[in-house]
Amino acid sequence: MSKFQDNNDRNWIIDIRVSTARKVLKETGVDLLDISSYETVFSSTLSLIEILLVLTKEQRHERGITEDDFVDSLAGDAAVEAVGVLIDGVVEMFPEEQKKMLKIIVQHLRESHKRQSEAMSRALGKLSGSAPESSE
């Protein structure tokens, strides 16, 4: 079980179990236990948002928060954090051997994303005439 915070400073708990994976499959058609679908699912922002909507449905209902209000509160760093929590939760569902491999893949993807962000930041710095500091 993990949590993230949206842009309205609300905390959301993501607890992925077999029962929630079934709900996600039923409501979105995405099988969280099918590793072969991850490249497609995790590269689609809309798919990830739909999954998060399913996983936060009860919490949103208890708080009186609509789907649109929830989605609108996920931008920038909040979206990155939410997706990270979602991916980590999915990885934790697998048996230890698969989990080890998935963690390696996720770490490589995160490192690649970080390198891409730093490269974009450097390129923007060159365009503006001042290179921003590295996040390292």
Side-chain angles (χ1 to χ4, degrees), residues 74-104:
L74 295 179
D77 291 339
V80 171
E81 183 183 1
V83 168
V85 166
L86 171 60
I87 292 171
D88 290 343
V90 170
V91 167
E92 289 301 318
M93 286 186 52
F94 285 89
E96 201 57 42
E97 192 61 34
Q98 286 177 311
K99 192 185 302 185
K100 286 178 187 177
M101 291 184 286
L102 288 169
K103 284 182 177 183
I104 291 168

